[in-house]
Each structure stands twice: as C-alpha cells, then as structure tokens.
Amino acid sequence: MLLTIQPEELTERWYDVFEQIEWTEVLLFLFYVACIFLVRAIVLGISRRLSTNRVFRHVDPVLRSLLNWATTYGILLFMIFYFSNSGWMFDRLFEIGNVEITAFLLILVVLIVSLANRASKIITRYILPNVYQRYHLDRGMSYTFDRMFHYTVMAIAIVVSLTTVGLDLSALTVFAGVLGVGIGFGLQNIASNFISGIILLFERPIKVGDRVIIDDLIGDVDKISMRSTVIKTIHNEHVIVPNSYFLEEQVVNRSYGDPRMRLVVPVGVAYGTDADKVKRVLLQAAQEEEQAGGVVLSEPAPFVNFAAFGESSLDFELMVWIDNSNQVIATKSALNFRINRLFAEHEIEIPFPQRDLHIKSMPDMKQP
C-alpha cells in the first residue's frame, strides 16, 4: 500500500504534533510576518506616490513584482530557519511508502515548486524573447517554446522535490495506475483536449497570432493552454474553444502557409452602363489603394470579373490580392470608399432594386 497509516492513526499523530507546538513562539513568528507585510505596504505606498512622476512611472510595477516575490519566499525561508529547532517541524505526520513526511518536507516541496514556477515565468518573459528576436522566430513558435519550457521546468521541479524528500518514485506506480484508469473512463474529454493541445503546439495547424474563422466567428488565436484555446475576436471578445475542436472540425486559418489572400469586392451598376468603363474604374480604385501604401498587391494583378446580369444591375467583382489577412475588413472598406467616389466622378450609377408593375385592364362584366 502507498499510504501506510490508518485515518485514526493520522489524526492521533496530528494531535501529538499540535501538542508540541509552542504557541508563544508561533505568535512571535506571526508578529514578525505582520511587520514584514507592514514594511511591504509602506514601500508600495511610497512607490505608488513616486509613480506619478514620469521618471519613476515604470518603477512601480517592477518594484511591486519584486516585493511580492521577496515577501512570499522570504516568509517561507524565514519560517524554515525560525522553527529549525522546533520538534514539531520534524515530527512524522504520515508516511508514503517508507518515507516519513514532516511539516519541514512539505514546506520544502512548496518552496522548490513555487521557485521553479517563478523562475520559469521570469525566463520566458525577460530572457527568451531576446533569443526569439535574435533568431527571428514568429509569435506562434515563440509561444510553443515558452509552453514547452515551462512544462519541462515544472516536471523537473516536481521530480526534484519528490527526490529531495526521499520519496521513491517507484512508489507512485500504484497511483499512476489508478490515474490511468480514471483517465480512461472518467477523464476522456480532458485527456483528449490535453493531447490535442500538445499536437497543436508541435504540428502547428494553428498557432498564436493566426487569424481563424470558426462558424462565421473571426478572431485571432490569443493563447493555447493545456485544455483549451482562447480566440480573441475582432470585437475584442474572448471565446474559449476546446483543443480537440481544431483537430476534429473544419477551421479556416487565414494565416496558415501563404499569408496572401484574395479579397473580393462585389458591386452592381445600372443597366446601360459601359462595362469596359466600369472595369477601368474598378482597376483604378485597386491601383490607388496600392499606391496609398495599403496591403493590396500588384502581383498577382487585380482582376475584374463580370459576374452576372442581375435583376436590377450588372454585377461585377473586383478581385485583389492582399499580403495581410488581418486587414480584410479595413481594405474592403477603403476600396468601397474609392469605388463610390470614382463612380460619382465618372457618373456611373449604382442602382437600387426595382420592380416593374404591370396593371392589366379587365373587360367590363355585364349584368345579366
């Protein structure tokens, strides 16, 4: 058995530990902790006042982060050293395998794992971005490396913490077996999304920063986590999508592979309008947008498609290629503005829907 003591025995041992605690010593420790928080509050107040000055504006968030870090780990280290001579810190609470778990070991495990988590975040936020910039990695690839680095650091930290307390990892085989059965029967959805998230990070059919379309919803991939992916829409709304959805359903990724995209701008003109003239004006609108520094490309060249003879208009389509799929809405709006202005200058009419109503006279009905 992995856990070698009974619940009533565990309760009795905890009771013995509490009896050994010198509460005067604990109250003095809490007083010191309160003093630490008081000093932290005073420093933060001074920093907040200085942040109103332009010179010290960027000091406040950095100092706040450093103080939070120093307070958390300072208290843990202070607790270890302060109670190092207390018997209850090293008394057995329970056993896992042949290892006696004490309060000191629990604090040590928390310290190692939290330090690893903090170190991973600092490295991925302040050090790795410089490496990515040097090797010209895109945002999606950088995010993949960040996630894998964080997972690796946390896995190593957990193994090191368990080894530090003297726990034989082979003793966890029973727990791993139970967990495997639980995943197989009760956690299928979570396991599926987790594995799908790993596949998304490595295979990269979508990546952070891509513009995607899901059920007529347009947005950018903002975050790929272990279970779900966050899509930030063009309206600044955040949609949570399970990772497995991207592998099982049809998803349009406008940023996948070639970033170029063809944009179609439909327009109708009145019957009787010179079609060649309409073509020249539409191509002029595309050329002006290109020269204005937009995302319209000269190659492939813009093309005008005479689509159909509509009910009320001659239907044309201006087809242009753009080099940034994120600018579809802005570019289409800019082209519509130019087309409307050029049509007015060249007296080309954009008709509205029309219906012809024919009234047929009926012969007079004679009364019998």
Side-chain angles (χ1 to χ4, degrees), residues 133-145:
Q133 186 176 4
R134 179 178 179 182
Y135 291 98
H136 306 289
L137 298 182
D138 58 33
R139 183 184 174 191
M141 181 63 73
S142 303
Y143 183 84
T144 299
F145 277 118

Side-chain angles (χ1 to χ4, degrees), residues 17-60:
V17 170
F18 282 130
E19 281 190 334
Q20 297 180 26
I21 296 177
E22 296 182 6
W23 294 105
T24 304
E25 187 180 23
V26 173
L27 291 176
L28 186 59
F29 170 76
L30 294 177
F31 173 75
Y32 291 147
V33 171
C35 292
I36 293 174
F37 278 104
L38 179 61
V39 173
R40 174 181 175 275
I42 294 174
V43 174
L44 287 179
I46 296 174
S47 175
R48 192 177 296 108
R49 289 181 178 274
L50 292 176
S51 63
T52 57
N53 191 322
R54 181 177 300 179
V55 178
F56 298 96
R57 183 171 300 173
H58 303 289
V59 176
D60 183 64

Side-chain angles (χ1 to χ4, degrees), residues 25 29 33 72-90 102-112 114-115 164:
E25 187 180 23
F29 170 76
V33 171
T72 302
Y73 301 112
I75 291 176
L76 288 176
L77 290 174
F78 177 64
M79 183 177 182
I80 292 176
F81 288 107
Y82 185 82
F83 294 108
S84 60
N85 296 324
S86 301
W88 62 269
M89 279 284 288
F90 303 94
T102 64
F104 173 78
L105 293 180
L106 293 177
I107 297 174
L108 193 60
V109 169
V110 172
L111 187 62
I112 293 174
S114 59
L115 276 174
T164 301

Side-chain angles (χ1 to χ4, degrees), residues 118-138:
R118 178 67 65 173
S120 173
K121 290 183 178 180
I122 292 176
I123 293 174
T124 54
R125 180 176 298 180
Y126 299 106
I127 298 178
L128 291 183
N130 296 326
V131 178
Y132 302 149
Q133 186 176 4
R134 179 178 179 182
Y135 291 98
H136 306 289
L137 298 182
D138 58 33

